[in-house]
Amino acid sequence: MVEATKTKTATTEVDAVVIGAGFAGLYMLKKLRDDLGLTWRIFEAADDVGGTWYWNRYPGARCDSEAYVYSFSWDKELLQEWTWSGKYPEQPEILSYLQHVADRHDLKKDIQFSTRVTAAHFNDDTNRWDIETDQGDHVSARFFITGIGCLSAGQIPDIAGRDTFEGDSYHTSSWPHEGVDFAGKRVGVIGTGSSGVQSIPVIAQQAEHLTVFQRTPQFMIPARHHTVDSHYLDEVKTRYDEVWDTARHSVAGFPYTPTDKSALEATAEERQAAYEAGWAEGGFRFTGASFKDIGIDLRANATAAEFIRGKIRETVDDPETAEKLVPTDHPYGSKRTLIDTNYFETYNRDNVELVDIRHAPIQEITPRGIRTEDGEYELDIIVFATGFDAMTGSFFKMDIRGKDGVQLKDKWAEGPQTYLGLSVAGFPNMFMITGPGSPSVLSNMPVSIEQHVEWISDLVEYTGEHNVETVEADEDAQTAWVAHVNDIASKTLFPLANSWYLGANIPGKPRAFMPYPGGVGNYRAKCDEVTANGYEGYTLTPTQVEAAT
Ligand code: NAP
């Protein structure tokens, strides 16, 4: 393992600098080192591998992708050897999977941990990236590759009095490694997105009293998590090639064949039967296997939304609490669909209270708790499950500058502008793994990450074989791509919610739909077409060869 040192070092020259040691950085390192034989530096802020799964250790943290496709497909032996314990992998299991991958491929020794990249400037004189870290590293690299995740910049809202609280407070995305003891404590959770919804039922079992501060009620589908039937996994292992192939060409990176049925063409009985079947199976299959028009047609969507509202009312004993939990201000699926385990049931417990802060907003955090317009709630612990400055926040934590010193922050002042979610015009030889404008957060991440890493690796290899010094996205191609992303988004129901997909959760953030909603299969085809057409939409500048005298 490369240890971080605080002494200022002389500039080192490498082929590539990569940031991050999650799924993206680990595979990128493997490619650069073992397949391309290049030189590299990899920096990771944490003291170990894992990325998202290193940081998000809150109680109940688990992935919403089914475990057997939440892994690397490139290590075929490991696919056969590794056995996930349940339908949805829990954070500790995913972390141990990534540690195992890192050990198995001897990756850790080549990663510099506990080191944040602070600046990356494209040098117009050398056509290289000058990169600096908080540990005093200076590196000059031909390629600058980010594997920094889409949901890495945790967001604690700027509530008055936040620092006066005399109890303990935590954000779900930077949870203490030793855990938090909730026994005998009065706990408040602010936020009911994926992190809140996973942690609330677990905290409720441990705390003396739990108060949930909810701004927006959410649609959710039961996970139906269970331990994995080993016969099922053994069967999947016999057809893994086919499973991955289907996932790679699917809509969301899962190995499902989408339904072609319309909710509007079905009878009321057929719809009820389809929704009941999806509800019983649980997870994202509720949408994927029921009707094709739920995500694009408001009337079709309303049938699914009403079904879920009915389930909430059936589950929650107290009618007043149930009504507070019923979502009415956005279509189903327009905010990230939540997958839950015993979430609504938790409100039937005597020690759990729901506070509707849409109607009685939080006024301040006091030394003793949280005060809303309705009164003060005394607390020992506050959990902020308040989400992230998604997709762009982690980029803006660094001082990234392209040609002529243009800052990425300025370039993206009106929202992220990218070509394919991989590149930015004016930022030659910089590549983003699952950047804004790629399917990323609308897909099963490992599938999208692998596609990006492989595409970037192929391009890097191409530059070596064809004497190319810089690769830069064309401004026109970028403009057309951003328009294409917006055009597809406008045909969906996504714009009808105030979601983090649009940056709506961050005060002052420009409203722009950030991920590519056209599906991972279509996206892959577009990237392959760009490659087949000689990297269409990019300008490839040849290496300058000095004239012989
Ligand atoms: P999130 O979805 O953005 O949810 C944040 C919650 O905090 C929302 O309920 C939000 O209310 C509330 N909130 C934010 N600011 C607030 C404020 N000033 N006052 C009161 N409430 C406030 O964040 P998240 O739950 O961490 O999830 C983010 C994403 O991470 C997910 O959508 C998912 O993609 C990923 N994730 C995945 C998993 C998984 O796979 N199981 C688990 C965790 C996270 P509003 O809705 O009103 O904004």
Side-chain angles (χ1 to χ4, degrees):
M1 188 183 310
V2 182
E3 293 290 342
T5 51
K6 269 215 165 155
T7 46
K8 268 212 161 192
T9 53
T11 301
T12 31
E13 295 219 347
V14 291
D15 294 314
V17 158
V18 179
I19 315 179
F23 271 95
L26 291 177
Y27 189 27
M28 198 72 240
L29 168 58
K30 170 93 181 122
K31 277 286 196 186
L32 293 171
R33 189 190 71 181
D34 298 349
D35 294 356
L36 301 182
L38 299 182
T39 54
W40 72 90
R41 292 291 292 275
I42 296 211
F43 299 111
E44 163 59 58
D47 63 10
D48 203 348
V49 300
T52 258
W53 301 105
Y54 173 92
W55 298 104
N56 288 266
R57 298 173 187 238
Y58 59 84
R62 140 189 350 250
C63 182
D64 288 343
S65 294
E66 286 175 50
Y68 72 95
V69 281
Y70 198 76
S71 44
F72 285 124
S73 74
W74 50 266
D75 188 334
K76 292 195 176 193
E77 276 178 20
L78 184 58
L79 281 178
Q80 295 301 323
E81 285 169 21
W82 188 267
T83 297
W84 294 98
S85 67
K87 181 179 177 190
Y88 296 105
E90 285 180 308
Q91 175 271 333
E93 194 174 9
I94 306 173
L95 190 58
S96 59
Y97 168 79
L98 289 170
Q99 281 167 339
H100 180 70
V101 170
D103 290 340
R104 182 179 162 87
H105 295 281
D106 207 11
L107 299 174
K108 283 191 187 179
K109 70 174 172 40
D110 291 324
I111 300 168
Q112 183 169 321
F113 292 104
S114 306
T115 305
R116 273 187 189 278
V117 169
T118 50
H121 295 177
F122 184 74
N123 185 324
D124 296 291
D125 297 327
T126 60
N127 278 341
R128 297 174 68 87
W129 282 88
D130 294 334
I131 289 150
E132 292 186 6
T133 75
D134 65 355
Q135 299 298 322
D137 302 280
H138 297 265
V139 186
S140 161
R142 264 190 79 207
F143 296 101
F144 170 48
I145 303 171
T146 62
I148 55 181
C150 302
L151 295 153
S152 314
Q155 163 76 1
I156 296 187
D158 193 12
I159 299 171
R162 199 179 67 184
D163 299 332
T164 65
F165 183 56
E166 286 172 358
D168 296 323
S169 60
Y170 308 95
H171 189 275
T172 44
S173 74
S174 47
W175 204 256
H177 287 202
E178 64 281 10
V180 175
D181 184 4
F182 292 108
K185 298 284 166 53
R186 297 163 302 171
V187 182
V189 175
I190 305 177
T192 53
S194 299
S195 307
V197 159
Q198 288 188 332
S199 55
I200 284 164
V202 183
I203 296 173
Q205 286 172 16
Q206 300 167 10
E208 181 184 306
H209 190 269
L210 171 64
T211 311
V212 177
F213 296 86
Q214 170 197 269
R215 188 163 65 180
T216 308
Q218 297 258 37
F219 291 101
M220 55 198 88
I221 308 296
R224 309 281 181 222
H225 178 68
H226 52 74
T227 51
V228 159
D229 169 354
S230 63
H231 297 300
Y232 175 68
L233 268 191
D234 288 346
E235 189 274 325
V236 166
K237 286 181 180 181
T238 64
R239 54 181 182 88
Y240 245 135
D241 285 347
E242 173 203 325
V243 164
W244 288 114
D245 195 52
T246 310
R248 288 185 194 115
H249 297 93
S250 67
V251 175
F254 295 112
Y256 317 144
T257 309
T259 173
D260 60 355
K261 285 187 271 172
S262 155
L264 298 177
E265 287 165 11
T267 64
E269 291 73 26
E270 286 167 344
R271 275 198 300 269
Q272 185 70 12
Y275 291 144
E276 286 290 1
W279 194 260
E281 183 162 9
F284 291 128
R285 293 199 199 205
F286 174 84
T287 313
S290 56
F291 298 107
K292 65 177 180 186
D293 40 5
I294 292 175
I296 52 171
D297 185 300
L298 257 186
R299 288 172 311 147
N301 188 280
T303 65
E306 204 40 40
F307 175 87
I308 299 168
R309 291 186 191 112
K311 290 292 185 191
I312 299 171
R313 292 183 178 114
E314 267 174 36
T315 308
V316 179
D317 295 341
D318 173 41
E320 210 177 304
T321 305
E323 283 318 303
K324 285 186 197 164
L325 288 164
V326 165
T328 52
D329 74 343
H330 61 280
Y332 163 62
S334 55
K335 283 166 94 91
R336 159 68 148 76
T337 296
L338 308 185
I339 309 296
D340 81 283
T341 298
N342 294 330
Y343 180 70
F344 292 117
E345 290 83 348
T346 295
Y347 292 95
N348 296 334
R349 296 176 63 100
D350 291 337
N351 69 334
V352 176
E353 176 181 12
L354 179 67
V355 176
D356 177 358
I357 54 170
R358 173 65 49 85
H359 291 104
I362 294 177
Q363 289 182 323
E364 60 171 339
I365 293 179
T366 68
R368 293 190 307 176
I370 294 177
R371 186 192 306 284
T372 73
E373 279 181 9
D374 280 348
E376 186 175 11
Y377 296 83
E378 291 193 9
L379 303 166
D380 302 307
I381 296 175
I382 297 177
V383 174
F384 291 95
T386 44
F388 300 86
D389 185 354
M391 308 218 67
T392 54
S394 309
F395 285 97
F396 295 164
K397 279 186 175 174
M398 296 176 275
D399 175 13
I400 301 179
R401 298 180 195 208
K403 279 169 38 181
D404 302 321
V406 171
Q407 289 204 5
L408 188 67
K409 234 181 192 167
D410 292 337
K411 186 92 182 173
W412 286 1
E414 302 302 320
Q417 310 283 306
T418 73
Y419 182 43
L420 303 171
L422 279 157
S423 310
V424 183
F427 293 70
N429 287 1
M430 166 175 145
F431 296 105
M432 300 170 291
I433 302 171
T434 67
S438 75
S440 56
V441 290
L442 297 179
S443 68
N444 179 27
M445 288 300 262
V447 171
S448 287
I449 286 169
E450 287 192 352
Q451 186 264 342
H452 266 187
V453 169
E454 286 160 15
W455 193 90
I456 294 166
S457 300
D458 289 348
L459 176 51
V460 167
E461 189 172 27
Y462 180 94
T463 64
E465 288 168 353
H466 294 82
N467 212 28
V468 171
E469 182 159 15
T470 57
V471 179
E472 183 184 353
D474 296 336
E475 205 65 66
D476 288 353
Q478 177 167 287
T479 304
W481 183 253
V482 173
H484 175 58
V485 171
N486 285 323
D487 181 48
I488 303 175
S490 72
K491 294 180 177 126
T492 71
L493 303 181
F494 284 125
L496 300 182
N498 288 322
S499 69
W500 58 258
Y501 294 142
L502 285 144
N505 62 327
I506 303 295
K509 191 165 174 173
R511 194 176 172 96
F513 194 77
M514 294 184 283
Y516 170 77
V520 301
N522 292 336
Y523 177 81
R524 176 181 291 269
K526 171 68 186 174
C527 290
D528 290 347
E529 185 186 307
V530 165
T531 306
N533 292 338
Y535 293 102
E536 189 177 29
Y538 284 97
T539 296
L540 275 51
T541 306
T543 309
Q544 300 295 318
V545 181
E546 284 185 25
T549 51

